[in-house]
Amino acid sequence: MEQIQKYMVRLAQNFNKSFSEEKADFWDCLVISAADEKQKDCFQQQLDEQLKNGELPGAPKYLVIADCPGSILGSGGSTFHILKQLKDLFGNDLFHMKIWISHAGGSSKRLPNLSCTGKLFCPLPLEIEGKAITILNLKIILTSPFLKLMKNGGIFICASDDIETYCLDGLESTVEKSNPLTEDGIVAIAHPSSIAIGNTHGVYVLPESSKRDENCWLTSCLEVLQKPNYSTMKMRKALVKLGDGEERVYTDSMFWCGPELVKKMVTFAEENGDLYRTETCIYGDFLACMGSRPAEEKLYLKSTSDSSTIKGKIASHFGETPLNIMVLEQSHFYHLGTMPEYLENLNPTSELFQTLAMKPIAQSFCREPSGIQGIVTTSCLEADVESMIGSVMDSCIVNVPVVCERQTIVSHCVIDDPIIQVIPSCWMFHTAAVKQENSVLYVTIAFRIDDDLKGRVEQSRGWKGTTLEHPTSTLWQARLFPGLGTMSQSFTATWRMVSNREKNEEFVQTNTLQRFSMEDIVQHKYIPAMMQHRENVLHKISSRA
């Protein structure tokens, strides 16, 4: 881990300096996908704010591209749709450009504190030049070394809710070997992973003769397995035995497509309108059909035998695409897509925290820093706050003494009611702004860390038995939370509800307040008010400096 840590810190420290040079090699265009026009507007506002504040490299073009109206494309259809839009915008110049694409169009139901603003804009306890950065900033930094392997252009694809750390010592010798591979095919990054991680990710089956004595090495790929169980990994020869007898696999993350393949993808998008009628995955349906094994032997193709479906067409058209794997032996993959994963990784004791040299208190003012054992990011804590290890506070203003217990997320909240003394453990609180006709209301949501927002209300430990639940509602659809005129009033109202439920006490609800579900909040979110809150927090922090 020490080598990875040194490489990561060096990469982050040198990034701003290297890309301030006039002739720095960088992406020509960075694209973020969005589920619809409303999410597109939300992402665009945050992008514009970061660009205005000089928090992103200003040279390239930044685009947010929404999926087709009324369609759920998935990352597969979204990629083809993006390429079609880019061809309309850039013409044939597209095939000489270096394009960075991040898929961010999900609803983040497993991480509801980021459902409104998007996981890509998640603040991190990581400072660069005194400013806390987001996952977007970090991913741009961490993917920049791979520009060397895309000399003739192409598209680089990554997700919005994961972080990869690595040491690329030895990359220079790999660059020359990879150049012939990138024109009409794919180079995908692979990480050594446990069997458990392989169960929930794509697993690359590599030839047994592949070299494994270098830090970075290239190999062909026989087959791609999607979320395989142990017996499937063993049967398909995906397992690699280490010297001590431990077994591991190589799992997927980022990948890039050469310019000739991009041309084929654009043509396919133009000729197949049914791409926009069926949800497909760029990993589970595009990469999964590739590999050098004969088609009749590939596990994925056995389940996609109907060539008339769009998945069958993708497999038929791209199944012979050269797929090469760049194995990064010293690398780790971290997923931040759920509340437990978010808390696990943004923790001072975590491997990710230490590898990236994160800080417990990042771009924040804390009146009593000695009380902070958890994470505090871009927050102004005017009173004595005790945050226990395993808790995260971001973009908050706290004016009264509070204890934030373990495994707790407090996001975009204003806390100034003296009745509030303890934020209970294993709860997530987040305040969002919603637009109602000509007025703005604030709604503080609260869910238990282990809640399944796709599940029924009666299954939730936090809200089970509430008089507000509807027998057919999912937790995502349940109108539980009142809208109020200020962020402080909103937090207090929801905190009272949670506090009473924790004590198993009945809480009498007033029927005069309009109540919102997460579905309502995402639909009616008002990003300018949420960005104004962030600005207010930063202003308070700077005034205390």
Side-chain angles (χ1 to χ4, degrees):
M1 190 181 84
E2 185 179 353
Q3 281 185 287
I4 297 176
Q5 182 184 42
K6 288 181 179 177
Y7 188 91
M8 291 287 96
V9 171
R10 187 168 71 246
L11 183 62
Q13 289 174 340
N14 293 339
F15 180 79
N16 283 348
K17 179 182 176 182
S18 63
F19 288 103
S20 63
E21 299 171 3
E22 278 189 29
K23 297 183 180 179
D25 184 22
F26 200 54
W27 308 104
D28 297 301
C29 181
L30 292 95
V31 182
I32 300 172
S33 72
D36 52 34
E37 289 297 323
K38 286 192 174 183
Q39 192 176 61
K40 174 184 175 180
D41 290 343
C42 166
F43 292 169
Q44 190 66 59
Q45 289 177 61
Q46 294 176 90
L47 263 181
D48 291 344
E49 185 72 12
Q50 286 201 335
L51 285 166
K52 184 183 78 173
N53 294 336
E55 296 167 4
L56 291 170
K61 190 174 186 66
Y62 293 83
L63 296 173
V64 183
I65 297 181
D67 290 348
C68 306
S71 301
I72 301 177
L73 302 184
S75 59
S78 179
T79 301
F80 284 103
H81 175 65
I82 286 169
L83 290 178
K84 191 168 177 289
Q85 299 298 307
L86 293 177
K87 176 61 165 57
D88 292 341
L89 184 62
F90 297 118
N92 289 332
D93 288 344
L94 170 65
F95 307 122
H96 307 286
M97 297 171 68
K98 297 176 182 179
I99 307 290
W100 183 95
I101 299 174
S102 180
H103 289 292
S107 57
S108 302
K109 289 184 179 180
R110 297 183 298 170
L111 198 54
N113 54 306
L114 299 174
S115 291
C116 288
T117 52
K119 286 179 281 194
L120 202 54
F121 296 93
C122 170
L124 295 170
L126 179 60
E127 289 184 359
I128 293 182
E129 296 186 349
K131 290 185 177 181
I133 66 171
T134 64
I135 285 182
L136 172 62
N137 302 105
L138 181 62
K139 291 188 82 72
I140 291 174
I141 293 170
L142 297 185
T143 55
S144 61
F146 300 107
L147 282 158
K148 296 176 182 177
L149 291 95
M150 300 176 64
K151 290 185 178 179
N152 297 321
I155 61 170
F156 188 97
I157 294 177
C158 59
S160 64
D161 59 359
D162 58 37
I163 295 173
E164 292 81 23
T165 63
Y166 45 76
C167 174
L168 292 184
D169 291 341
L171 179 66
E172 296 301 328
S173 63
T174 308
V175 169
E176 295 304 319
K177 300 174 188 175
S178 70
N179 284 341
L181 306 176
T182 59
E183 287 301 305
D184 61 351
I186 288 176
V187 177
I189 299 296
H191 310 275
S193 302
S194 66
I195 302 300
I197 292 176
N199 291 153
T200 57
H201 290 84
V203 172
Y204 296 121
V205 183
L206 308 182
E208 292 184 20
S209 59
S210 298
K211 292 183 179 179
R212 295 186 175 86
D213 55 355
E214 300 174 33
N215 189 37
C216 309
W217 48 278
L218 280 161
T219 179
S220 58
C221 180
L222 299 177
E223 185 176 14
V224 185
L225 308 177
Q226 280 300 309
K227 301 180 180 180
N229 57 31
Y230 178 80
S231 61
T232 300
M233 295 180 203
K234 186 174 183 178
M235 178 182 66
R236 308 304 292 183
K237 300 188 182 304
L239 300 175
V240 177
K241 280 198 173 183
L242 305 181
D244 59 2
E246 181 187 351
E247 293 177 313
R248 70 179 183 187
V249 291
Y250 290 110
T251 54
D252 62 8
S253 65
M254 311 168 281
F255 67 94
W256 61 95
C257 307
E260 291 302 316
L261 176 57
V262 173
K263 289 181 184 179
K264 295 176 186 176
M265 294 173 74
V266 169
T267 301
F268 186 83
E270 292 172 338
E271 295 176 350
N272 290 275
D274 47 347
L275 261 173
Y276 312 113
R277 295 193 290 271
T278 304
E279 184 175 358
T280 55
C281 176
I282 197 65
Y283 295 93
D285 297 305
F286 185 67
L287 280 184
C289 70
M290 299 178 188
S292 59
R293 275 183 175 154
E296 63 274 11
E297 294 181 17
K298 291 178 185 175
L299 195 61
Y300 174 79
L301 296 184
K302 292 180 180 179
S303 62
T304 319
S305 56
D306 187 353
S307 60
S308 65
T309 66
I310 190 59
K311 293 186 179 184
K313 289 178 183 178
I314 290 173
S316 176
H317 200 82
F318 296 101
E320 300 301 317
T321 300
L323 174 60
N324 291 277
I325 307 301
M326 177 177 285
V327 177
L328 304 183
E329 288 290 0
Q330 294 193 67
S331 66
H332 294 284
F333 174 95
Y334 304 92
H335 193 248
L336 277 72
T338 69
M339 289 186 278
E341 289 174 337
Y342 175 89
L343 288 171
E344 176 187 354
N345 288 305
L346 300 189
N347 183 315
T349 64
S350 76
E351 185 178 77
L352 176 64
F353 188 94
Q354 296 171 33
T355 300
L356 292 179
M358 292 180 174
K359 301 175 65 176
I361 301 174
Q363 198 180 0
S364 296
F365 171 79
C366 299
R367 181 170 296 279
E368 188 48 70
S370 63
I372 306 302
Q373 298 180 57
I375 301 298
V376 176
T377 304
T378 53
S379 294
C380 187
L381 311 185
E382 297 274 15
D384 292 351
V385 174
E386 181 181 349
S387 80
M388 295 186 178
I389 195 161
S391 66
V392 176
M393 300 184 78
D394 83 83
S395 304
C396 291
I397 297 173
V398 183
N399 296 319
V400 293
V402 166
V403 175
C404 187
E405 294 188 334
R406 290 174 179 267
Q407 298 298 106
T408 300
I409 301 169
V410 187
S411 169
H412 285 74
C413 295
V414 174
I415 306 173
D416 59 13
D417 191 330
I419 195 175
I420 302 167
Q421 297 179 358
V422 176
I423 312 294
S425 63
C426 298
W427 280 86
M428 181 281 303
F429 291 83
H430 172 75
T431 304
V434 295
K435 190 75 176 286
Q436 292 286 283
E437 297 180 352
N438 295 321
S439 64
V440 176
L441 294 175
Y442 294 93
V443 184
T444 299
I445 61 170
F447 298 104
R448 284 191 62 84
I449 298 303
D450 56 0
D451 272 338
D452 176 10
L453 270 70
K454 300 177 184 180
R456 299 296 179 187
V457 180
E458 62 270 18
Q459 297 170 334
S460 162
R461 288 178 59 195
W463 296 108
K464 183 178 180 180
T466 176
T467 56
L468 295 175
E469 71 179 67
H470 187 281
T472 60
S473 290
T474 65
L475 202 51
W476 184 259
Q477 298 166 319
R479 290 193 168 101
L480 298 168
F481 309 109
L484 290 149
T486 69
M487 296 180 73
S488 171
Q489 292 170 342
S490 170
F491 184 86
T492 297
T494 298
W495 177 86
R496 283 177 179 269
M497 293 166 62
V498 170
S499 182
N500 279 272
R501 298 201 66 77
E502 286 288 282
K503 298 173 185 175
N504 293 315
E505 295 177 1
E506 184 177 354
F507 181 64
V508 180
Q509 305 284 359
T510 173
N511 294 322
T512 60
L513 295 176
Q514 183 177 359
R515 296 189 178 276
F516 295 84
S517 65
M518 271 305 304
E519 190 170 67
D520 297 330
I521 293 167
V522 171
Q523 181 69 16
H524 300 290
K525 62 183 178 284
Y526 189 55
I527 296 301
M530 299 176 73
M531 292 175 65
Q532 182 61 54
H533 167 70
R534 292 181 188 174
E535 189 174 323
N536 293 344
V537 175
L538 291 173
H539 177 73
K540 280 182 170 289
I541 294 168
S542 63
S543 69
R544 302 297 186 271

